[in-house]
């Protein structure tokens, strides 16, 4: 995030600018194992995301993030044979 304008006067502006230039460390837990990923794929979307309206919103937001360069869409069929150890 790169605060600009009035946001620069916010008490958190310095830390947000730091996150925007050097990143923000996060702990997302352990890397998933292949069996965990396959189980998640087989389970499919969370029931709340199976609602057609919700699914459409999720798809639109995902495409928006990808088009903005904030995310990459990776298909399981494209990577399942190249899964990291």
């Amino acid at each position: 995030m790169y605060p600009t304008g009035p946001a620069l006067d916010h008490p958190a502006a310095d830390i947000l600018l730091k996150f925007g230039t050097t990143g923000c460390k996060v702990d997302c837990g352990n890397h998933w194992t292949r069996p965990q990923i396959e189980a998640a794929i087989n389970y499919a979307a969370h029931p709340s995301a199976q609602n057609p309206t919700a699914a459409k919103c999720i798809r639109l937001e995902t495409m928006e993030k990808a088009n903005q360069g904030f995310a990459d869409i990776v298909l399981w069929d494209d990577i399942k044979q190249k899964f990291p150890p």
Side-chain angles (χ1 to χ4, degrees), residues 5 9 11-12 14 30 32 34 41 43 57 60 62 65 68-70 72 78 80:
D9 295 327
D14 290 341
N30 295 329
W32 282 25
R34 185 182 189 104
I41 290 168
Y43 179 81
C57 288
L60 288 173
T62 300
K65 298 295 182 196
Q68 294 170 341
F70 296 122
D72 292 316
D78 292 344
K80 66 183 173 186

Side-chain angles (χ1 to χ4, degrees), residues 4-21:
T4 60
L8 290 170
D9 295 327
H10 190 278
D14 290 341
I15 194 162
L16 294 174
L17 186 58
K18 181 180 176 190
F19 290 163
T21 55

Side-chain angles (χ1 to χ4, degrees), residues 1 3-4 11 13 15 18 21 24 30 33 38 45 50 61 76 85:
M1 170 174 221
T4 60
I15 194 162
K18 181 180 176 190
T21 55
C24 176
N30 295 329
T33 64
E38 289 174 345
Q50 293 179 17
E61 183 177 358
W76 177 241

Side-chain angles (χ1 to χ4, degrees), residues 47-84:
S48 66
Q50 293 179 17
N51 172 290
T53 302
K56 182 178 179 181
C57 288
I58 291 167
R59 281 192 298 275
L60 288 173
E61 183 177 358
T62 300
M63 293 307 299
E64 187 176 293
K65 298 295 182 196
N67 290 336
Q68 294 170 341
F70 296 122
D72 292 316
I73 297 173
V74 180
L75 302 178
W76 177 241
D77 283 341
D78 292 344
I79 65 167
K80 66 183 173 186
Q81 300 304 325
K82 305 174 207 161
F83 195 78

